[in-house]
Amino acid sequence: MKLATLKDGSRDGQLAVVSRDLATAHYATGIAAKMQQVLDDWGFISPQLQDLYDTLNQGKARHAFPFDPAQCMAPLPRAYQWADGSAFINHVELVRAARNSEVPKSFYEDPLMYQGGSDDFLGPTDDAFFLTEDWGIDFEAEVAVVTGDVKMGATPDQALEGVRLVMLANDWSLRNLIPNELAKGFGFFQSKPATAFSPVAVTPDELGDAWQGGRVHLTLQSSWNGRKVGMCDAGPEMTFSFGQLIAHIAKTRNVRAGSIVGSGTVSNKGVDNGSGKTEWPKGYSCIAEKRAIETIQDGKPSTEFMKFGDTIKLEMKGKDGQSVFGTIEQKVAKP
């Protein structure tokens, strides 16, 4: 099924069920008012939502209305936890190579992860506000999951069973703030502003055989200022599955229902064009990666970060060509 949270003037919005084709929606009133309620009592509430979803898809829901992504908040407008991994090791390799730094062996065995702010998320069409362009504004196209309860010490297989919903994320980054923050030895903070999520979150069964091994085997499309810059495959090159990422969190703590876990920037390896030069036919899912490629090839980056007025659109289509999660469409703006 597909779920969304619609704006109603409150912090947590109003839960709605959305049709498979993203054309219509129906409030979940009488079943659950908020997304967190569903996650807290998944076994009891989700079957009732599934029944409403089936009725909606059959065109028999009495109070259905047109679905408008512009009325959406993030599916889970604020969460108990937002932990973002870096599961695509190619992204790490490129960024490290651009500064002549080797990737430690441990990075291939133990995922990188940071804990971001989860008290303030952006809706899929909300403007992204920044005080200055000097911060190095960058988008990051990612896949994310929302969990139920996962016990401390869970194996990757056990952790994967805790995945309740899948969605897309735009994990905004302020690249020019990152070096000084990392130099302090305490990780990201100011360099990671509010993250945006897709209009709908879907249960893994909606993905069919595209959901394999805790990975989404579909193409994540990124369009910057109307120009398609990324057509990256989110499946085979994901070094660490969502089961592994969740198990990484659960090594020393319980993971509670309503935790969001991100994949990190979706990234694909380049290919040799036959003349000894590497090309990246699938493009990129963040500007930092494009700049890393330019530095490796030309000695310096030439692509600038985002400016006020720039737009970014992220979308993932199923094998039937239809949008799975709806689109994240945001504009960079000055408050």
Side-chain angles (χ1 to χ4, degrees), residues 102-126:
E102 291 187 6
V103 179
K105 182 181 177 181
S106 63
F107 283 23
Y108 295 89
E109 302 165 353
D110 195 34
L112 292 170
M113 186 169 285
Y114 81 92
Q115 195 164 48
S118 61
D119 57 327
D120 181 32
F121 292 138
L122 299 177
T125 65
D126 292 346

Short mmCIF file of all heavy atoms in Angstrom, two decimals, residues 102-126:
data_model
loop_
_atom_site.label_atom_id
_atom_site.label_comp_id
_atom_site.label_asym_id
_atom_site.label_seq_id
_atom_site.Cartn_x
_atom_site.Cartn_y
_atom_site.Cartn_z
N GLU A 102 43.07 7.21 0.25
CA GLU A 102 42.61 5.84 0.08
C GLU A 102 41.41 5.56 0.98
O GLU A 102 41.25 6.15 2.04
CB GLU A 102 43.73 4.85 0.41
CG GLU A 102 44.88 4.84 -0.59
CD GLU A 102 45.87 3.72 -0.31
OE1 GLU A 102 45.59 2.90 0.60
OE2 GLU A 102 46.91 3.68 -0.98
N VAL A 103 40.57 4.64 0.52
CA VAL A 103 39.42 4.21 1.31
C VAL A 103 39.90 3.13 2.29
O VAL A 103 40.44 2.10 1.86
CB VAL A 103 38.30 3.63 0.42
CG1 VAL A 103 37.14 3.16 1.28
CG2 VAL A 103 37.85 4.68 -0.58
N PRO A 104 39.75 3.33 3.59
CA PRO A 104 40.17 2.30 4.55
C PRO A 104 39.45 0.98 4.30
O PRO A 104 38.27 0.96 3.89
CB PRO A 104 39.75 2.91 5.91
CG PRO A 104 39.71 4.38 5.67
CD PRO A 104 39.22 4.54 4.26
N LYS A 105 40.12 -0.10 4.52
CA LYS A 105 39.55 -1.43 4.30
C LYS A 105 38.26 -1.64 5.10
O LYS A 105 37.32 -2.29 4.64
CB LYS A 105 40.57 -2.51 4.68
CG LYS A 105 40.09 -3.93 4.44
CD LYS A 105 41.13 -4.95 4.85
CE LYS A 105 40.61 -6.38 4.67
NZ LYS A 105 41.62 -7.40 5.10
N SER A 106 38.20 -1.04 6.28
CA SER A 106 37.04 -1.23 7.15
C SER A 106 35.76 -0.69 6.53
O SER A 106 34.66 -1.13 6.85
CB SER A 106 37.27 -0.55 8.51
OG SER A 106 37.43 0.85 8.35
N PHE A 107 35.90 0.29 5.61
CA PHE A 107 34.72 0.89 4.98
C PHE A 107 33.95 -0.12 4.14
O PHE A 107 32.76 0.07 3.88
CB PHE A 107 35.12 2.07 4.11
CG PHE A 107 35.45 3.33 4.88
CD1 PHE A 107 35.84 3.28 6.21
CD2 PHE A 107 35.36 4.57 4.27
CE1 PHE A 107 36.16 4.42 6.92
CE2 PHE A 107 35.67 5.74 4.97
CZ PHE A 107 36.07 5.66 6.29
N TYR A 108 34.63 -1.18 3.70
CA TYR A 108 33.99 -2.21 2.88
C TYR A 108 33.32 -3.28 3.74
O TYR A 108 32.60 -4.13 3.23
CB TYR A 108 35.02 -2.87 1.95
CG TYR A 108 35.60 -1.92 0.93
CD1 TYR A 108 36.74 -1.18 1.21
CD2 TYR A 108 35.00 -1.77 -0.32
CE1 TYR A 108 37.28 -0.29 0.28
CE2 TYR A 108 35.53 -0.90 -1.27
CZ TYR A 108 36.67 -0.17 -0.96
OH TYR A 108 37.19 0.71 -1.89
N GLU A 109 33.58 -3.23 5.02
CA GLU A 109 33.06 -4.25 5.93
C GLU A 109 32.08 -3.69 6.96
O GLU A 109 31.25 -4.43 7.50
CB GLU A 109 34.24 -4.92 6.67
CG GLU A 109 35.25 -5.54 5.72
CD GLU A 109 36.57 -5.86 6.42
OE1 GLU A 109 36.72 -5.46 7.60
OE2 GLU A 109 37.43 -6.49 5.78
N ASP A 110 32.18 -2.40 7.23
CA ASP A 110 31.38 -1.77 8.27
C ASP A 110 30.85 -0.45 7.73
O ASP A 110 31.63 0.43 7.38
CB ASP A 110 32.25 -1.53 9.52
CG ASP A 110 31.42 -1.23 10.75
OD1 ASP A 110 30.33 -1.79 10.88
OD2 ASP A 110 31.88 -0.44 11.59
N PRO A 111 29.54 -0.28 7.61
CA PRO A 111 29.00 0.91 6.95
C PRO A 111 29.25 2.21 7.70
O PRO A 111 29.27 2.24 8.93
CB PRO A 111 27.50 0.62 6.85
CG PRO A 111 27.23 -0.38 7.94
CD PRO A 111 28.47 -1.20 8.04
N LEU A 112 29.45 3.26 6.93
CA LEU A 112 29.50 4.61 7.49
C LEU A 112 28.07 5.06 7.80
O LEU A 112 27.14 4.74 7.07
CB LEU A 112 30.12 5.57 6.49
CG LEU A 112 31.60 5.41 6.16
CD1 LEU A 112 31.95 6.29 4.97
CD2 LEU A 112 32.44 5.79 7.36
N MET A 113 27.90 5.81 8.86
CA MET A 113 26.56 6.28 9.21
C MET A 113 26.66 7.51 10.11
O MET A 113 27.58 7.63 10.93
CB MET A 113 25.79 5.17 9.93
CG MET A 113 24.33 5.50 10.22
SD MET A 113 23.41 4.03 10.77
CE MET A 113 23.21 3.16 9.21
N TYR A 114 25.74 8.44 9.91
CA TYR A 114 25.64 9.58 10.82
C TYR A 114 24.19 9.71 11.26
O TYR A 114 23.27 9.23 10.59
CB TYR A 114 26.13 10.87 10.17
CG TYR A 114 25.13 11.55 9.27
CD1 TYR A 114 24.27 12.52 9.75
CD2 TYR A 114 25.04 11.21 7.92
CE1 TYR A 114 23.34 13.14 8.93
CE2 TYR A 114 24.12 11.82 7.08
CZ TYR A 114 23.27 12.78 7.59
OH TYR A 114 22.35 13.38 6.78
N GLN A 115 23.97 10.37 12.37
CA GLN A 115 22.62 10.58 12.89
C GLN A 115 22.24 12.04 12.65
O GLN A 115 22.84 12.96 13.21
CB GLN A 115 22.56 10.24 14.37
CG GLN A 115 21.14 10.08 14.90
CD GLN A 115 21.14 9.36 16.25
OE1 GLN A 115 21.90 9.72 17.14
NE2 GLN A 115 20.30 8.36 16.40
N GLY A 116 21.25 12.24 11.78
CA GLY A 116 20.84 13.59 11.41
C GLY A 116 19.68 14.09 12.26
O GLY A 116 19.14 13.39 13.10
N GLY A 117 19.29 15.33 11.99
CA GLY A 117 18.16 15.92 12.69
C GLY A 117 16.85 15.31 12.22
O GLY A 117 16.61 15.22 11.02
N SER A 118 16.01 14.89 13.15
CA SER A 118 14.76 14.23 12.78
C SER A 118 13.53 14.99 13.28
O SER A 118 12.41 14.51 13.14
CB SER A 118 14.73 12.81 13.35
OG SER A 118 14.81 12.81 14.76
N ASP A 119 13.75 16.17 13.83
CA ASP A 119 12.64 16.95 14.38
C ASP A 119 11.98 17.86 13.36
O ASP A 119 10.92 18.41 13.61
CB ASP A 119 13.12 17.79 15.57
CG ASP A 119 14.26 18.73 15.18
OD1 ASP A 119 15.07 18.36 14.31
OD2 ASP A 119 14.34 19.83 15.75
N ASP A 120 12.60 17.99 12.18
CA ASP A 120 12.09 18.94 11.19
C ASP A 120 12.42 18.45 9.79
O ASP A 120 13.53 18.65 9.30
CB ASP A 120 12.69 20.32 11.43
CG ASP A 120 12.17 21.36 10.45
OD1 ASP A 120 11.01 21.25 10.03
OD2 ASP A 120 12.94 22.29 10.11
N PHE A 121 11.48 17.78 9.15
CA PHE A 121 11.65 17.31 7.77
C PHE A 121 10.89 18.22 6.81
O PHE A 121 9.96 18.93 7.21
CB PHE A 121 11.15 15.87 7.62
CG PHE A 121 11.96 14.85 8.35
CD1 PHE A 121 11.35 13.81 9.03
CD2 PHE A 121 13.34 14.89 8.34
CE1 PHE A 121 12.08 12.85 9.70
CE2 PHE A 121 14.11 13.93 9.00
CZ PHE A 121 13.47 12.90 9.69
N LEU A 122 11.26 18.15 5.54
CA LEU A 122 10.59 18.93 4.50
C LEU A 122 9.66 18.03 3.69
O LEU A 122 9.95 16.86 3.46
CB LEU A 122 11.62 19.56 3.56
CG LEU A 122 12.62 20.54 4.18
CD1 LEU A 122 13.61 21.01 3.12
CD2 LEU A 122 11.90 21.72 4.81
N GLY A 123 8.56 18.62 3.25
CA GLY A 123 7.67 17.92 2.35
C GLY A 123 8.26 17.87 0.95
O GLY A 123 9.24 18.57 0.64
N PRO A 124 7.68 17.09 0.05
CA PRO A 124 8.27 16.85 -1.27
C PRO A 124 8.32 18.06 -2.18
O PRO A 124 9.13 18.11 -3.11
CB PRO A 124 7.37 15.75 -1.86
CG PRO A 124 6.06 15.92 -1.16
CD PRO A 124 6.43 16.32 0.25
N THR A 125 7.43 19.07 -1.94
CA THR A 125 7.45 20.25 -2.79
C THR A 125 7.79 21.51 -2.00
O THR A 125 7.68 22.62 -2.53
CB THR A 125 6.09 20.45 -3.50
OG1 THR A 125 5.08 20.71 -2.52
CG2 THR A 125 5.71 19.20 -4.29
N ASP A 126 8.22 21.35 -0.76
CA ASP A 126 8.59 22.52 0.05
C ASP A 126 9.89 23.14 -0.47
O ASP A 126 10.83 22.42 -0.83
CB ASP A 126 8.80 22.11 1.51
CG ASP A 126 7.52 21.69 2.20
OD1 ASP A 126 6.43 21.95 1.64
OD2 ASP A 126 7.61 21.10 3.30
#
